[in-house]
Amino acid sequence: MLLSLIVFILLLSVLVFVHELGHFLMAKWTGMRVDEFNIGFPPRLYSKRVGDTLYSVNWILLGGYVKIHGEDPSAQADPDTRSYANKPVWARILVIISGVGMNLLFAFLVLTIAFSVGFVSGSQDLAAVPGAVVKESQVYVVSELPHSPISTTPVQPGDVITGIADQSGSNPIPVDTVEGLQNALSTYLQKGDRNVTILYTHNQASYQAKVRLNPTGPALGVAIDNFNTVRVPVWRAPGVAAKEIGSLSTATWNALKNFADQL
């Protein structure tokens, strides 16, 4: 839990920094005066003024902000031509959307690198990309049918099936694809051997579970899918990354829309 919390805080800090950096760079590019660029919330850990801008890193790394001169709508009119309020509408719009824009650019760069060295995708079949290389393949449990053979075991959705062995757990047949699992189950059923042992991992720990296969319907009564770590050619990685971001953005928008519809 502590490690997960630390990782979450670090990731959040990186995302906030990238987001605020987008506002900062666009404000500078459009000629606005930036008074402060802060990462985290006080108490202050370190600060340094460079030109008009005070840069600071604070102890509570759960946010951050960029203070642009003249951004406060309640402030009195400021004759400074670098004031946010004195800039044209197009410049102010660019500053507003640049935070999200920088996050998208950051995600694109990270995913491009990740797909170039080997990564997974929840929205596209990376193995079908020309020149792609499957570095690792796993079969994971998506869901279980009620009253199915596997429902009597401790196997849960999200667990990874690594093999099928006989009733004593001997002579295991390793599996790393959906087709491989289906072939292993067929091997035992064709021999009339319905009592098998499922080899699986849960939270990266290995376990075994005894199960009696169903010879007339789904042998295990479980929905399964492949979880592949795939490396795509470097020149194709940007397109794959863009498609991944598009799919994730669409899924996020649909989730927010469904949530709003239920209010």
Side-chain angles (χ1 to χ4, degrees):
M1 285 292 294
L2 179 60
L3 180 60
S4 298
L5 179 61
I6 293 174
V7 171
F8 170 77
I9 292 175
L10 291 176
L11 287 176
L12 179 62
S13 299
V14 170
L15 292 176
V16 169
F17 171 77
V18 170
H19 183 89
E20 297 303 328
L21 183 63
H23 293 309
F24 172 80
L25 293 177
M26 187 58 68
K28 288 285 190 178
W29 185 75
T30 54
M32 298 181 187
R33 190 180 104 194
V34 180
D35 293 333
E36 294 184 44
F37 183 11
N38 295 280
I39 297 300
F41 296 109
R44 185 162 292 168
L45 174 63
Y46 172 80
S47 66
K48 182 177 182 179
R49 182 173 293 279
V50 179
D52 296 323
T53 307
L54 177 67
Y55 300 87
S56 66
V57 178
N58 301 309
W59 279 104
I60 305 176
L61 297 176
L62 292 175
Y65 64 94
V66 171
K67 183 179 180 181
I68 303 174
H69 186 71
E71 195 174 15
D72 185 357
S74 64
Q76 296 181 350
D78 192 328
D80 191 338
T81 57
R82 296 179 299 166
S83 171
Y84 175 87
N86 293 334
K87 290 296 179 179
V89 173
W90 64 263
R92 284 178 275 169
I93 292 175
L94 286 178
V95 170
I96 291 172
I97 66 176
S98 59
V100 174
M102 184 62 84
N103 282 135
L104 289 174
L105 177 60
F106 179 70
F108 172 76
L109 293 175
V110 170
L111 286 175
T112 296
I113 296 172
F115 286 129
S116 298
V117 298
F119 201 50
V120 299
S121 171
S123 63
Q124 52 188 314
D125 182 10
L126 296 180
V129 176
V133 176
V134 179
K135 298 182 64 178
E136 182 182 10
S137 180
Q138 296 178 323
V139 179
Y140 71 98
V141 177
V142 178
S143 62
E144 300 175 4
L145 298 175
H147 311 298
S148 63
I150 207 169
S151 65
T152 62
T153 72
V155 178
Q156 303 174 23
D159 291 349
V160 176
I161 298 178
T162 60
I164 301 294
D166 59 26
Q167 186 175 12
S168 64
S170 304
N171 305 313
I173 302 176
V175 298
D176 57 9
T177 65
V178 171
E179 183 181 8
L181 175 59
Q182 293 171 339
N183 290 338
L185 295 173
S186 296
T187 297
Y188 281 99
L189 287 173
Q190 288 172 2
K191 295 189 299 184
D193 190 355
R194 295 176 55 191
N195 297 310
V196 300
T197 301
I198 299 175
L199 311 179
Y200 69 101
T201 62
H202 175 80
N203 291 336
Q204 298 183 340
S206 298
Y207 299 94
Q208 296 185 1
K210 309 294 183 182
V211 65
R212 185 172 175 80
L213 301 179
N214 181 358
T216 57
L220 291 175
V222 63
I224 54 178
D225 202 351
N226 268 117
F227 188 80
N228 295 332
T229 301
V230 180
R231 183 179 72 245
V232 303
V234 174
W235 59 90
R236 297 189 186 275
V240 174
K243 184 176 179 180
E244 190 76 11
I245 290 174
S247 299
L248 292 173
S249 299
T250 300
T252 301
W253 170 257
N254 290 335
L256 292 174
K257 184 175 181 296
N258 291 336
F259 177 76
D261 292 341
Q262 295 175 5
L263 295 179

